[in-house]
Amino acid sequence: MLKKRIIVCLDVKDGRTTKGVKFQNNLDIGDPVEMASEYYRQGVDELVFYDIMASARGRGPILDLISRVASQVFIPFCVGGGIGTLDDIRSTILAGAEKVSLNSQAVKNPDLISQGAKVFGNQCIVLGMDAAKDEKMPSGYRVYINGGRVATELDAVEWAKKAVSLGAGEIVLNSIDADGTRDGYELTVTKLISEAVDVPVIASGGGGKPEHLVKVLTEGKADAALIASMVHSGDYTIGGIKNELEKSGVPVRKI
């Protein structure tokens, strides 16, 4: 059985790490460079860095900050937010990212996925998706863009399948309903998408304790779990989470 990955997410606003609940009431919680260094020291498998205001403000990625974070970690590092062109992808990778996450920009210009995959390889192109329950959609879940602020007409499962067909090598699936709640991942949509595509699916939104990760990595069939609040709060360490997963029979990479 393939080992499951633990990924820490740093949501960044105005150069500082921030955390909210369901995309609201964000609080400043620290310096992303220092936090990245600490999670790397703890043994996290990967880091994801999201500039949560870039698309809404119509600007590109903050390359200087990306470069400073990349200098502190020697693990896969994915960057999202404001990446709307091939030049943005290139400059983000040159700044030190191994992968780029395309979310709002991919919805607005799906060709960016195929162009990016062709030039940089599928493994570099990650589809970021924010989804929320909506009974009007075929799968029961609708895709949102611009940091969860704008509803689209895209069904979550259909969009996942299309993005993979265009060349996305991985999907980070964030449940808006569960985001920041620490009440557990949204297992239904995670399982639906994990079973619909043949690329790794990373579950995001709702991780609050190790049991939640166990559930989404087994019942939800996710390949990796993205966490934020549970480690940002200091309630858990990466090593502690990995020990709990191992005790529950979930294979993880040892520190």
Side-chain angles (χ1 to χ4, degrees), residues 13-196:
K13 179 181 179 184
D14 301 325
R16 299 283 293 177
T17 307
T18 183
K19 197 71 195 91
V21 176
K22 299 185 181 181
F23 291 64
Q24 303 291 320
N25 305 316
N26 285 72
L27 300 173
D28 181 324
I29 57 171
D31 176 66
V33 179
E34 292 174 5
M35 294 175 74
S37 179
E38 172 59 20
Y39 293 132
Y40 173 65
R41 189 190 65 76
Q42 288 185 22
V44 74
D45 297 311
E46 298 187 22
L47 274 175
V48 174
F49 171 114
Y50 286 135
D51 185 333
I52 62 170
M53 297 304 295
S55 289
R57 290 175 177 171
R59 61 162 171 75
I62 310 172
L63 300 175
D64 172 61
L65 187 56
I66 293 165
S67 179
R68 286 165 53 216
V69 171
S71 72
Q72 299 297 311
V73 300
F74 302 93
I75 50 176
F77 174 40
C78 178
V79 172
I83 299 171
T85 66
L86 279 180
D87 282 343
D88 287 338
I89 296 174
R90 182 177 291 106
S91 59
T92 301
I93 292 171
L94 288 173
E98 277 80 18
K99 309 175 188 179
V100 296
S101 176
L102 306 177
N103 189 322
S104 303
Q105 301 298 334
V107 169
K108 295 168 186 174
N109 176 22
D111 286 345
L112 185 61
I113 299 173
S114 49
Q115 291 167 1
K118 185 176 180 182
V119 175
F120 303 102
N122 303 66
Q123 78 285 350
C124 286
I125 306 300
V126 178
L127 177 74
M129 184 197 304
D130 295 313
K133 287 179 185 171
D134 189 332
E135 60 187 22
K136 295 175 185 171
M137 305 308 287
S139 69
Y141 295 86
R142 184 185 294 272
V143 175
Y144 286 73
I145 59 172
N146 289 3
R149 297 174 187 83
V150 178
T152 74
E153 292 306 311
L154 294 172
D155 176 79
V157 172
E158 290 307 312
W159 175 228
K161 287 158 69 173
K162 180 177 179 182
V164 170
S165 74
L166 289 171
E170 197 165 61
I171 295 173
V172 175
L173 168 64
N174 185 56
S175 165
I176 294 173
D177 302 302
D179 182 78
T181 64
R182 299 182 66 177
D183 291 333
Y185 295 89
E186 224 286 16
L187 299 179
T188 304
V189 70
T190 306
K191 185 179 179 184
L192 279 171
I193 290 179
S194 295
E195 290 181 338

